[in-house]
Amino acid sequence: MKKTEVVIIAAIAESNRVIGKNGKLPWRIPQDSKRFQDITLGYPVIMGRKTWEYDIEKCPLVKRFNIVISSCPEQESVSEHCRSYPFELAFVNSIQEALKNAEDREKAFIVGGASIYSQSLNLADTLELTLVEGSFEGDTFFPNYEHLIGSQFKLVSRETHPGFRYETYRRICYSHTRTYSDPK
Ligand SMILES: NC(=O)c1ccc[n+]([C@@H]2O[C@H](COP(=O)([O-])OP(=O)(O)OC[C@H]3O[C@@H](n4cnc5c(N)ncnc54)[C@H](OP(=O)(O)O)[C@@H]3O)[C@@H](O)[C@H]2O)c1
């Protein structure tokens, strides 16, 4: 069977790698939100419990297989007003289990937050980054990845827009065997 492509998708403040503040994104970029919706449509989206709870407020992303990682997975916590939408949802207790749930799919998207990004960087085949211009205050940061560009990832596309740009990186090699180690 063909291996599932693991794609990290993230919007990052270019100057300081901020990705979140008080459980939410520090900015509103409708064009980027639409691109996120378009790219991830139909695929598994893997997220940490805090992103699930505070960012998307327990409202599963429609027409996607939502996989929430928590050390205490709970099953029945979808917000009332979202229950009629079509979605798939699973709660798992590790990234390894999340990827196992997605192993029959062509791609799986790692959609944050910071703790999930930092544990997945060594697993990712592709990085779909939105680099937001300017400095933002925040409390969560994308892991340092710049040192991997050139050695482990190469830039394959860049699209510039006023105030932000999209950069896509593809894996060129792994620093070590591609195994998952849970830091918890
Ligand atoms: N800019 C972007 O593209 C973007 C995208 C997504 C999110 N964000 C932002 O990121 C922030 C949230 O990030 P965060 O790092 O605070 O939280 P998070 O990564 O969303 O969730 C952290 C939680 O995930 C669970 N978890 C993480 N690793 C685990 C493991 N190995 N095994 C079991 N459970 C594990 C734990 O849940 P339990 O505590 O339940 O055990 C942990 O508390 C928010 O501000 C959000 O808006 C930004």
Side-chain angles (χ1 to χ4, degrees):
M1 192 166 45
K2 204 167 165 251
K3 182 178 83 64
T4 305
E5 180 185 354
V6 178
V7 183
I8 284 181
I9 185 163
I12 306 168
E14 168 173 47
S15 62
N16 55 3
R17 278 187 282 105
V18 158
I19 61 162
K21 185 181 181 186
N22 299 329
K24 297 280 186 188
L25 301 188
W27 46 71
R28 202 178 157 272
I29 307 176
Q31 196 177 339
D32 185 47
S33 303
K34 180 171 183 324
R35 180 177 183 262
F36 174 91
Q37 297 293 340
D38 290 347
I39 289 184
T40 60
L41 190 68
Y43 293 108
V45 285
I46 297 171
M47 69 193 85
R49 192 265 308 163
K50 291 183 183 170
T51 294
W52 162 252
E53 195 168 330
Y54 304 118
D55 192 324
I56 67 168
E57 299 179 351
K58 300 186 176 184
C59 229
L61 301 179
V62 178
K63 295 182 182 169
R64 271 148 272 226
F65 180 16
N66 294 252
I67 304 175
V68 181
I69 304 174
S70 169
S71 53
C72 301
E74 38 171 331
Q75 296 301 328
E76 296 298 333
S77 66
V78 175
S79 291
E80 187 88 39
H81 65 286
C82 308
R83 289 188 189 160
S84 56
Y85 304 157
F87 62 82
E88 292 174 273
L89 178 63
F91 292 86
V92 300
N93 62 14
S94 68
I95 290 184
Q96 192 174 37
E97 205 188 330
L99 290 172
K100 204 163 173 41
N101 271 264
E103 70 186 2
D104 57 340
R105 313 290 180 109
E106 180 196 344
K107 290 182 190 184
F109 286 87
I110 307 285
V111 301
S115 78
I116 303 300
Y117 288 140
S118 61
Q119 295 172 64
S120 315
L121 201 50
N122 66 334
L123 302 170
D125 300 298
T126 303
L127 309 179
E128 289 286 0
L129 305 184
T130 301
L131 282 311
V132 184
E133 288 173 15
S135 179
F136 289 85
E137 283 185 17
D139 48 29
T140 37
F141 297 83
F142 195 79
N144 185 356
Y145 69 98
E146 292 90 340
H147 63 291
L148 303 176
I149 307 306
S151 58
Q152 293 189 37
F153 292 95
K154 70 172 179 187
L155 180 70
V156 293
S157 85
R158 175 181 285 146
E159 191 183 309
T160 304
H161 297 266
F164 65 94
R165 67 178 183 278
Y166 302 126
E167 293 187 350
T168 302
Y169 294 89
R170 295 245 189 270
R171 173 74 70 176
I172 46 180
C173 78
Y174 292 92
S175 59
H176 49 75
T177 314
R178 192 197 196 210
T179 53
Y180 170 73
S181 64
D182 190 337
K184 280 192 161 185

